[in-house]
């Protein structure tokens, strides 16, 4: 038990902070962007392993997170997490998804829009990120942790008046804070439209024009998306937004005429493999790509285990 500084206040930093506080550590979160300003706040977000590696670890972390989300959804109505069924459409029905064993009710379906061969229907979890991040902040503060805005130029030094350990959850910032050239942005743009009574999510990762998904939330619907490797801009493009809406309409015709409420862009912190390892007094936990929400609790538990 000791004093731990967590760098980063996205879904990874806050989840780690919660588990570390539960383990009895004193925890201070330092972050340049506060939770609602992070990439995490832009995420759609559904539980869905996407663009993160290595597959065996991603599967284990995702499975653990699925269970924790189910329990949070059942016990905390204010968490912004809801179990919701939906369908991932596919071009050809062949193998089951590689993450199939992590969900309890995956089944094949032929109830898909024209142009698709079929799909996989299952209960996922919709995580309404602005609400969920607020809830996580509440958990950190209630347990005695602190969250402070600070733009760091290096990871804090440990010992001699500093913390006993540092947990590096800086997402794309790890490129600089951890001097890790293998971290790169995968830009994602989304459009927020009004809720039109939709109660299922849809995902199409086989569209050659780009990943397409529709995730209904309590007050709006997230319509995505893009995944551009190496693109740093966080400015939404009107042309890209129109293309996203066109593709989404094919997937979910009920969206026709829905009012556009806003546009967002986020930079997924990608890496050939998630880095979760302890090096001296520092635990690195970054590089979660397109599935940081999906893996958050599995990774946070492992970080807490590494600090004992
Ligand atoms: C459009 C889009 C849709 C997505 N959909 C999903 C989805 O459906 N499901 C899913 O699981 N994932 C999804 N993702 C991916 C998910 O958003 C990320 O994997 C996740 O947010 C990464 O979380 P993080 O906490 O590591 O990083 P971030 O949320 O980026 O947080 C990093 C933190 O580190 C801080 N930091 C960085 N550098 C410094 C510094 N120098 N000093 C101080 N602080 C610093 C930042 O300020 C921030 O607080 C989506 C992403 C996008 C863009």
């Amino acid at each position: 038990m000791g004093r731990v500084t967590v760098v980063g206040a996205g879904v990874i930093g806050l989840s780690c902070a919660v588990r570390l506080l539960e383990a009895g550590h004193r925890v201070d979160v330092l972050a340049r962007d506060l939770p609602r300003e992070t990439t995490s706040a832009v995420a759609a977000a559904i539980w869905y392993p996407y663009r993160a590696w290595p597959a065996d670890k991603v599967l284990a972390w995702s499975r653990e997170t699925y269970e924790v989300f189910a329990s949070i959804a059942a016990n905390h109505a204010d968490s912004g997490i809801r179990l919701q069924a939906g369908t991932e459409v596919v071009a050809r029905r062949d193998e089951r998804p590689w993450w199939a064993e992590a969900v309890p009710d995956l089944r094949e379906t032929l109830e898909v829009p024209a142009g698709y061969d079929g799909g996989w229907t299952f209960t996922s979890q919709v995580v309404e990120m602005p609400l969920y991040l607020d809830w996580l902040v509440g958990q950190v503060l209630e347990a005695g942790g602190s969250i402070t805005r600070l733009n760091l130029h290096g990871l804090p030094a440990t010992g001699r008046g500093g913390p006993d350990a540092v947990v590096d959850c800086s997402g794309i910032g790890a490129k600089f804070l951890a001097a890790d050239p293998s971290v790169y942005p995968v830009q994602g743009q989304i459009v927020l439209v009004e809720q039109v009574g939709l109660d299922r999510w849809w995902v199409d990762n086989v569209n050659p024009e780009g990943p397409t998904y529709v995730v209904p939330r309590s007050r709006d619907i997230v319509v995505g998306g893009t995944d551009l490797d190496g693109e740093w801009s966080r400015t939404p493009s009107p042309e890209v937004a129109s293309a996203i809406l066109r593709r989404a309409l094919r997937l979910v015709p009920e969206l026709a005429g829905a009012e556009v409420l806003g546009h967002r862009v986020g930079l997924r912190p990608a890496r050939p493999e998630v880095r979760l390892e302890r090096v001296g007094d520092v635990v690195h936990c970054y590089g979660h790509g397109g599935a940081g929400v999906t893996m958050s609790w599995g990774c946070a538990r492992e970080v807490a285990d590494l600090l004992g």
Side-chain angles (χ1 to χ4, degrees):
M1 256 162 278
R3 199 171 163 160
V4 181
T5 295
V6 174
V7 177
V11 70
I12 299 297
L14 294 177
S15 308
C16 287
V18 169
R19 285 290 180 260
L20 289 163
L21 285 157
E22 285 168 358
H25 298 284
R26 176 175 165 178
V27 177
D28 299 299
V29 179
L30 304 180
R32 184 192 56 220
D33 307 295
L34 295 178
R36 278 186 174 241
E37 304 158 355
T38 61
T39 294
S40 297
V42 177
I46 57 169
W47 179 99
Y48 183 85
Y50 176 68
R51 290 203 70 142
W53 303 272
D56 57 339
K57 289 188 176 174
V58 171
L59 181 58
W61 291 323
S62 301
R63 193 195 330 223
E64 186 171 342
T65 305
Y66 190 99
E67 282 162 22
V68 178
F69 279 164
S71 156
I72 295 174
N75 295 302
H76 301 273
D78 58 339
S79 64
I81 301 183
R82 216 177 45 253
L83 270 64
Q84 192 168 64
T87 300
E88 174 177 11
V89 297
V90 293
R92 258 182 326 110
R93 275 173 296 135
D94 38 28
E95 290 162 36
R96 284 163 71 80
W98 58 274
W99 42 261
E101 64 188 76
V103 297
D105 60 349
L106 187 88
R107 64 178 175 80
E108 211 174 329
T109 179
L110 297 176
E111 290 170 35
V112 291
Y116 298 101
D117 188 35
W120 297 102
T121 285
F122 65 99
T123 304
S124 183
Q125 291 135 347
V126 172
V127 184
E128 205 157 328
M129 290 310 287
L131 301 183
Y132 180 55
L133 291 167
D134 287 354
W135 183 81
L136 281 175
V137 166
Q139 300 297 301
V140 171
L141 299 182
E142 263 174 45
S146 72
I147 302 173
T148 303
R149 185 192 293 282
L150 205 62
N151 186 6
L152 300 170
H153 297 287
L155 292 175
T158 55
R160 275 177 293 151
D164 300 307
V166 170
V167 180
D168 170 17
C169 305
S170 56
I172 196 74
K175 189 169 191 66
F176 310 101
L177 281 185
D180 183 343
S182 69
V183 178
Y184 62 99
V186 176
Q187 187 213 53
Q189 179 167 336
I190 56 168
V191 184
L192 301 174
V193 303
E194 65 174 323
Q195 228 324 347
V196 290
L198 204 67
D199 61 0
R200 293 178 66 79
W201 53 263
W202 290 86
V203 170
D204 170 5
N205 279 329
V206 291
N207 193 322
E209 291 169 49
T212 308
Y213 47 85
V214 177
V215 178
R217 307 197 294 191
S218 61
R219 295 167 220 171
D220 56 12
I221 301 174
V222 180
V223 183
T226 58
D227 56 355
L228 287 181
D229 286 7
E231 176 58 59
W232 282 97
S233 169
R234 289 181 65 181
T235 306
S237 147
E239 293 77 29
V240 169
S242 304
I244 289 172
L245 288 171
R246 244 192 339 267
R247 297 201 308 271
L249 212 54
R250 208 182 118 210
L251 195 59
V252 184
E254 298 98 301
L255 290 178
E259 187 190 345
V260 172
L261 304 177
H263 303 271
R264 303 275 186 281
V265 174
L267 305 179
R268 300 177 183 89
R271 193 174 186 271
E273 294 197 347
V274 175
R275 185 176 188 197
L276 202 173
E277 64 171 339
R278 180 171 180 167
V279 182
D281 295 331
V282 177
V283 177
H284 294 281
C285 184
Y286 61 80
H288 297 83
V293 181
T294 305
M295 297 187 278
S296 53
W297 287 113
C299 292
R301 197 249 328 130
E302 200 167 315
V303 164
D305 288 351
L306 285 172
L307 287 176

